[in-house]
Every structure is written in structure tokens, then in C-alpha cells.
Amino acid sequence: MTALYGVIGDPVAHSLSPLIHNSWLADGGFDARYEAIGIPQERLDSGLKELMDRGACGLNVTLPHKNSALRVSSERSDTAIRIGAANTLTRTGDGWYADNTDAPGFLKTLTDAGIDVAGQTVGVIGAGGSARAVVATLSDAQAEVMIFNRTGARARSLAEDFEGADWTPGGLDALLEAGSAVDFLVNTTSVGHTGGRLRLPEGDGRLYYDISYGAAAAPGFSDAKRTGWRTLDGLPMLVAQAAFSFQIWFGVMPDTSRALALCRAKLEQRT
Ligand code: ATR
């Protein structure tokens, strides 16, 4: 029987994960398919039960389920526990094993960009769930992290949880001054999704990495380029976290460059 994999979330219809995973499944000749499966916030338990009854073998997890998916799983990786969220579930008999591949995915994109973060000072913008995965990864990789966030209390609380992490009071305006001292910036906020803009200091050729992509990231990138920043969007991270999930499920690391090209082409069609 064709094995079922998929991504659960709400909304999930626009997810690029089916495009990515189905291309790898076809390349590898696996008898499996990967679907986008909408599950509303309050229906996670019953939704997972239904998927188990349908014989689902592995699931990616996106908003709003990343925290709850960790909670309802019977086994959890150390990385997922440390981040407090799961983006990858693997069937284990009558339960799920929760892992988080956002962390290795994020690190791979930095390595691919030729960046060794050890000893670097990294400015992280935001203090939500995405920031937590980014800060955990940077902290593990021996970077110094400076967190900037609209709500200072969240920045402080995040910084307290990770070695080498600190925060800057003054909300996002602090970026204009303190942002000058960082080696590169990572924007994890959803500010672009609601039409908001960040004010950045002069980039002087430094990297501005926004982990979102497409229309949400575009205005921020044009601002960043205008002020002298090099830019990197979140599409390579999306593909990299998918690749690590695929490796957990199928035991092979798939080709990320062709999947990335497929995603870029798909996004272009949408604009
Ligand atoms: P995610 O899991 O995607 O990180 P989240 O936990 O809701 O989502 O966090 C969203 C982040 O984007 C937070 O850092 C949030 O700032 P606050 O902690 O002050 O809420 C930030 N954010 C969202 N909209 C923003 C806006 N319009 N301006 C500035 N920051 C914003």
C-alpha cells in the first residue's frame, strides 16, 4: 500500500512541502505520497488519531500545531524538547516520535552560505516560536546572540533560556544603534506578513537573513538592500528542514538544490 506522509497545519493549502517531498519521493522511487492536511487548532488530537487510522507514517507540522505536537507525542528528541516545538512526527507503533528539523535546517543554510557562526555576534529579531529555534541553534553553535523584539519581556525571557544569548531593551528601534554591532541579522518576526517595516542601520555589506520568503519578505529585502545589506530569504531553510525530515523517514539525504529551484519557480508563478 502507498505510504502516507504529509504536513499538518491551518492554513496549509499554500504549503510548498508537498511539492518538495513528492519530488524527492518520485526521484527515489518510493511507494509513498505526501499531502497537505488542514487540521484546525482545536482538532489536533482527533486529527492525529484519524491520520494514524489512515496509516500515516510521518508528518511535518506547521502553525498552529508546533508546540502542541510536541506535547501530544509519546517520544521526543532532545532538540525538540530544547526548542519546545516539533515540526516532524514519525509513527512509532501507536504513538509519534517528535523531532525538530528547523534547527539543523537553519544551521545548514548558514553553512551553505559560507558562514561559521562560532564566535560571531548574531542579531536575532523576534522572540516567538521561530526565534526560539534560531536562538537555540545559534547558542549550540557557540554564537553570541543579541535579541531584539517589540515586546522586551519576551526577548528577556528567551535570552534567559540560552547560553550566550542576551537582549536589547528599546523595542525594535534599538536595532538602529545596537544593530551596528552585530556580524549579521536574522529576522524571525511576522512583521512582513502584516505590512509592517523594520528600520535597519547601515548594512555595510553584512547579511540580513529573513526566514520568511515570497511576498511577506519582499518589502523588507528592498529596504535592507537599499541600506547596504546582503540578503538571504527563508526558502533554503524551508527546503533544508524538509530534507532533514525526509532523511529521518527514508534514511537518505535528498537533493536540496533542485527542490529549491522548484520552489522558486512555484513562487514566481504565484506573483
Ligand atoms: P512565530 O512562531 O512565527 O515566531 P509568534 O510566536 O507569534 O510566531 O511570534 C511572532 C514574532 O513576530 C514576535 O517576536 C512578535 O513580536 P511581539 O513578541 O512583540 O509580539 C513579532 N511581530 C509580529 N508582528 C509584528 C509587528 N507588526 N511589528 C513588530 N514585531 C512583530
Side-chain angles (χ1 to χ4, degrees):
M1 194 175 80
T2 302
L4 175 62
Y5 291 81
V7 55
I8 59 169
D10 185 27
V12 80
H14 273 67
S15 171
L16 291 167
S17 295
L19 176 70
I20 298 169
H21 281 278
N22 283 318
S23 79
W24 290 333
L25 291 171
D27 288 349
F30 293 98
D31 186 13
R33 68 179 191 284
Y34 186 103
E35 297 176 1
I37 302 156
I39 299 183
Q41 177 140 36
E42 63 286 359
R43 290 203 56 245
L44 179 64
D45 286 305
S46 58
L48 283 175
K49 170 86 177 54
E50 270 166 40
L51 284 166
M52 195 162 270
D53 293 344
R54 284 177 65 196
C57 302
L59 298 169
N60 285 126
V61 183
T62 188
L63 295 177
H65 300 306
K66 284 189 173 191
N67 304 95
S68 310
L70 181 70
R71 213 167 5 87
V72 302
S73 292
S74 46
E75 294 169 60
R76 304 162 183 90
S77 74
D78 289 344
T79 308
I81 291 169
R82 195 161 145 72
I83 294 171
N87 78 328
T88 306
L89 302 182
T90 307
R91 177 79 170 264
T92 59
D94 57 359
W96 300 98
Y97 171 75
D99 206 339
N100 191 311
T101 66
D102 287 331
F106 172 65
L107 196 58
K108 176 175 166 18
T109 60
L110 293 174
T111 310
D112 289 350
I115 297 170
D116 175 3
V117 298
Q120 298 232 328
T121 302
V122 186
V124 173
I125 312 170
S130 308
R132 199 169 174 84
V134 164
V135 172
T137 309
L138 291 168
S139 166
D140 286 350
Q142 316 296 321
E144 298 292 321
V145 180
M146 183 55 66
I147 302 167
F148 301 90
N149 195 45
R150 178 177 62 180
T151 309
R154 285 184 93 190
R156 181 173 54 209
S157 153
L158 180 58
E160 279 168 3
D161 284 350
F162 294 100
E163 184 95 7
D166 206 344
W167 68 290
T168 304
L172 294 176
D173 287 344
L175 269 172
L176 272 179
E177 208 163 305
S180 302
V182 303
D183 290 303
F184 66 96
L185 277 174
V186 184
N187 180 23
T188 71
T189 70
S190 44
V191 59
H193 295 261
T194 50
R197 299 294 256 264
L198 297 172
R199 292 199 303 146
L200 302 177
E202 282 299 319
D204 298 320
R206 290 176 294 164
L207 180 70
Y208 172 75
Y209 181 174
D210 189 329
I211 65 164
S212 59
Y213 52 83
F221 282 141
S222 65
D223 291 348
K225 282 178 185 149
R226 213 176 32 251
T227 41
W229 295 82
R230 285 183 295 124
T231 58
L232 176 63
D233 76 352
L235 216 45
M237 180 172 163
L238 177 80
V239 174
Q241 61 77 33
F244 284 110
S245 297
F246 193 90
Q247 187 183 38
I248 289 171
W249 297 328
F250 297 99
V252 288
M253 193 63 177
D255 174 9
T256 51
S257 48
R258 206 172 67 82
L260 182 57
L262 283 175
C263 290
R264 291 236 180 268
K266 185 71 174 179
L267 276 190
E268 296 228 332
Q269 276 173 21
R270 287 182 187 171
T271 52

